[in-house]
Amino acid sequence: MLSLNIIGAGRVGQTLGRLLSDHQQFQIAQVFNLTPQANQEALAFIGAGTSLSELALSLPADITLLSVPDDDFLVVTEQLIKARALVRGSILFHCSGSKSSQDLARLCPALHALEIQLASIHPVRSFADPSAVCRDFSGTICSVEGDPQALAVLLPAFEVIGARIVGIDPQQKLLYHAASVFASNYLVTLIDTAIATYCAAGVEPDIARQMAASLAGKTLENVFALGTQQALTGPIKRGDMQTVSTQSATVSAWNADRGALYQAFILPTIDLAKR
């Protein structure tokens, strides 16, 4: 069985480590986090592997999962190369939604000299609760690109753990990831804004969350059942632009940042209503 080092076993790294280990796809070797406590928590969750306290002590594995923040890719990869943990011809893959395998190669040309096989596999879902992700990972879309030799090893393993594989263009990775930010990260910010606005209107926080949950939940159901055009309701859809203008001014008077967010949605929503 091929060995797998996990460099950065946060929510994504430890979840994939546990899934790949439980399904006997790879043997978990070394697991690295910044603190001993984080390391022990990750090892307990994965149920396999040994703790790596310093990157300088890294031992080589057949496959290395780089699951650190994007901005740390270069320094961490250079440290792995210096430690001789990336041996010639081995596989290095990451789970970044915004950077491609080509981006990693450009950041660290030494990878090419070592003939490291590169890939990126980005699961399109939230990892807020790793235990829940492990229970229902089956059917998760995983956007992939990279060297054929790396994908030939990685994709069958991800298919076993339940991934739905979708190939993407590495040249459009940032635009692709922006879509995920809109669909997930900014959606959370938007709901947070809705709850805060309810509260500013005098609604109790628990009731505000229930109101937002009722509206947002049903709206998302309609979006994916009927399409965005049919799901759109509200004053812009009805053409009540005087209401929209007055409401925008009211929100801005209460909170300038929330008002700017309200204003930013007006023109895109007008365009959607026209369609």
Side-chain angles (χ1 to χ4, degrees):
M1 186 182 298
L2 296 177
S3 58
L4 172 68
N5 280 346
I6 302 175
I7 308 302
R11 288 181 289 189
V12 176
Q14 63 183 252
T15 300
L16 294 180
R18 177 168 168 176
L19 287 167
L20 292 165
S21 177
D22 285 353
H23 287 81
Q24 299 182 343
Q25 294 306 295
F26 302 132
Q27 179 180 354
I28 308 301
Q30 293 184 305
V31 176
F32 173 79
N33 277 319
L34 289 176
T35 68
Q37 180 179 349
N39 252 9
Q40 292 307 313
E41 290 173 354
L43 289 171
F45 184 85
I46 295 169
T50 59
S51 176
L52 176 63
S53 58
E54 298 179 30
L55 288 176
L57 302 177
S58 302
L59 298 175
D62 300 305
I63 306 166
T64 300
L65 167 55
L66 190 64
S67 186
V68 299
D70 294 1
D71 291 347
D72 294 337
F73 274 10
L74 176 58
V75 64
V76 171
T77 302
E78 288 180 335
Q79 288 178 335
L80 291 172
I81 292 173
K82 185 177 181 180
R84 299 184 178 180
L86 298 176
V87 297
R88 185 173 300 276
S90 63
I91 295 171
L92 175 65
F93 79 103
H94 65 74
C95 298
S96 169
S98 61
K99 289 191 181 298
S100 69
S101 61
Q102 295 176 3
D103 291 329
L104 182 56
R106 283 190 289 269
L107 279 172
C108 191
L111 292 170
H112 178 73
L114 286 171
E115 300 178 0
I116 303 298
Q117 305 303 309
L118 302 174
S120 73
I121 300 180
H122 178 239
V124 186
R125 67 171 301 155
S126 169
F127 281 78
D129 184 345
S131 294
V133 177
C134 286
R135 290 193 297 268
D136 67 359
F137 188 82
S138 181
T140 295
I141 294 175
C142 287
S143 303
V144 307
E145 55 81 24
D147 294 327
Q149 300 93 322
L151 296 180
V153 172
L154 296 171
L155 298 193
F158 271 77
E159 288 173 344
V160 168
I161 68 175
R164 178 183 167 193
I165 303 298
V166 176
I168 59 171
D169 181 356
Q171 301 298 326
Q172 299 297 333
K173 198 72 184 285
L174 274 173
L175 192 59
Y176 153 83
H177 188 249
S180 298
V181 171
F182 278 123
S184 179
N185 311 146
Y186 287 171
L187 180 60
V188 175
T189 303
L190 187 60
I191 298 302
D192 179 73
T193 298
I195 293 171
T197 309
Y198 276 132
C199 291
V203 179
E204 291 295 322
D206 287 346
I207 301 300
R209 283 190 289 270
Q210 293 174 39
M211 289 178 170
S214 176
L215 273 176
K218 182 54 68 176
T219 298
L220 284 175
E221 287 181 19
N222 291 339
V223 163
F224 298 114
L226 306 174
T228 55
Q229 296 175 44
Q230 292 299 316
L232 182 64
T233 61
I236 290 178
K237 177 74 169 181
R238 296 190 299 268
D240 293 338
M241 297 310 298
Q242 183 58 52
T243 296
V244 173
S245 177
T246 304
Q247 194 168 70
S248 177
T250 300
V251 176
S252 294
W254 158 59
N255 184 294
D257 290 338
R258 309 289 193 183
L261 185 60
Y262 186 102
Q263 183 69 32
F265 275 93
I266 293 176
L267 288 180
T269 306
I270 289 173
D271 178 67
L272 175 57
K274 289 178 178 177
R275 300 204 311 268

